[in-house]
Amino acid sequence: MKIKLTPFIKVLLKLAITVAALWYVFAKIELQQVIGTIGESNLLYFAGALLLFVLSKMVSSVRLNRYLGSTGIHISEKANLKLYLLGMYYNLFLPGGIGGDGYKIYLLNRRYDVATRQIFWAVMMDRIIGVVALFCMAVVLFCFVPGMRAYAWYSWMLIPLSISITYLVFRRFFPYLLPVFRITNLHSLVVQLLQLLSALLLLLSLKVPGNLEGYLFVFLISSMVAVLPLTIGGIGSREFTFMLGGPVAGTGFESLHCP
């Protein structure tokens, strides 16, 4: 028997998972030690990380505008950036399945004579293409993590495979988005590189010991987990992933006993 959950129950479940994940994280850390570490951080590195993060969001906004343009929605980059930032804001406070994305779709549908279905898939494929780029970069970092290099040849094959599958999906189901497939993949690569460099500067700012490649790998994995509609706004899921993977990643995955 199929169980159908009401929106209210879904919100309660996501809230419960969010609270449980945050409780687990805060139960495992010493808050005073965390505050002390932040207080001793390198502010120059921190400022650089913030700048790179902002730049990554600006490039993400340009990528979204390419998809919207393919549906016949033509808006200025400035107006699109405002819309993108508004969506980010609502992602934290709208507890629905797609949060801020849903608000963007609603707003665009009201202002432009374009089918809701086309707008929906343009916004969704923008997000999906970003996840594909995350996955590809995670594969690259996986190959450079000590203890994992023996699997490099196998893992590298996942990159062209994932891109090929994505291309076939675009070609089969979303031909109107295909003209921007290449440029948006490039945008996604730039976005993830900027965010990866931002994470690296944060690690350097906090003087985190251990294997940086491993931490960056977990950062990418946590970013993919945060996309899943498991918690409200992704809060808790990223931190929970770091709590589980961080200690292993910081030692170069030796505890996995890889050849």
Side-chain angles (χ1 to χ4, degrees), residues 234-246:
I235 299 173
S237 58
R238 188 190 296 270
E239 293 81 1
F240 182 77
T241 304
F242 253 101
M243 286 300 299
L244 293 181

Side-chain angles (χ1 to χ4, degrees), residues 15-259:
L15 180 61
I17 295 174
T18 301
V19 172
L22 290 177
W23 175 84
Y24 176 84
V25 170
F26 282 101
K28 295 290 184 178
I29 64 175
E30 293 290 340
L31 191 57
Q32 290 299 323
Q33 185 178 0
V34 172
I35 295 174
T37 301
I38 295 175
E40 297 174 0
S41 63
N42 187 310
L43 294 181
L44 185 60
Y45 281 140
F46 185 83
L50 179 60
L51 176 61
L52 290 174
F53 178 78
V54 171
L55 287 175
S56 75
K57 291 305 174 183
M58 293 177 68
V59 178
S60 293
S61 168
V62 173
R63 184 185 65 197
L64 174 62
N65 209 8
R66 296 293 180 270
Y67 281 110
L68 295 179
S70 295
T71 68
I73 297 176
H74 300 287
I75 56 180
S76 68
E77 293 295 353
K78 182 178 180 180
N80 179 66
L81 179 60
K82 290 181 179 179
L83 178 64
Y84 186 88
L85 294 177
L86 190 61
M88 287 181 59
Y89 173 79
Y90 279 119
N91 270 333
L92 296 175
F93 298 101
L94 291 181
I98 53 176
D101 289 336
Y103 180 77
K104 284 186 287 188
I105 295 167
Y106 167 76
L107 200 61
L108 290 168
N109 183 245
R110 285 189 58 189
R111 296 185 179 181
Y112 297 92
D113 187 22
V114 177
T116 304
R117 183 173 178 272
Q118 282 193 320
I119 301 174
F120 172 83
W121 284 115
V123 173
M124 289 299 101
M125 296 313 290
D126 171 70
R127 175 167 288 206
I128 289 171
I129 208 73
V131 175
V132 172
L134 270 173
F135 175 77
C136 292
M137 294 199 67
V139 170
V140 172
L141 273 180
F142 177 82
C143 298
F144 288 95
V145 172
M148 293 290 109
R149 292 170 186 169
Y151 303 98
W153 286 109
Y154 304 101
S155 55
W156 276 105
M157 295 171 60
L158 296 174
I159 296 178
L161 180 63
S162 61
I163 295 175
S164 298
I165 291 175
T166 308
Y167 174 80
L168 292 175
V169 170
F170 269 68
R171 185 174 178 177
R172 175 65 179 86
F173 299 102
F174 313 104
Y176 60 96
L177 299 177
L178 198 57
V180 297
F181 180 79
R182 291 182 180 178
I183 187 64
T184 53
N185 268 280
L186 179 60
H187 286 151
S188 295
L189 178 61
V190 173
V191 168
Q192 302 311 333
L193 280 174
L194 288 171
Q195 294 205 1
L196 199 62
L197 289 173
S198 176
L200 175 61
L201 288 181
L202 283 177
L203 290 173
L204 294 175
S205 172
L206 297 172
K207 304 178 181 66
V208 175
N211 180 266
L212 294 183
E213 293 93 337
Y215 283 119
L216 292 175
F217 174 75
V218 174
F219 165 74
L220 294 175
I221 297 300
S222 70
S223 297
M224 287 188 279
V225 172
V227 173
L228 301 175
L230 299 175
T231 62
I232 295 178
I235 299 173
S237 58
R238 188 190 296 270
E239 293 81 1
F240 182 77
T241 304
F242 253 101
M243 286 300 299
L244 293 181
V248 179
T251 59
F253 289 89
E254 285 89 344
S255 61
L256 297 181
H257 301 291
C258 296

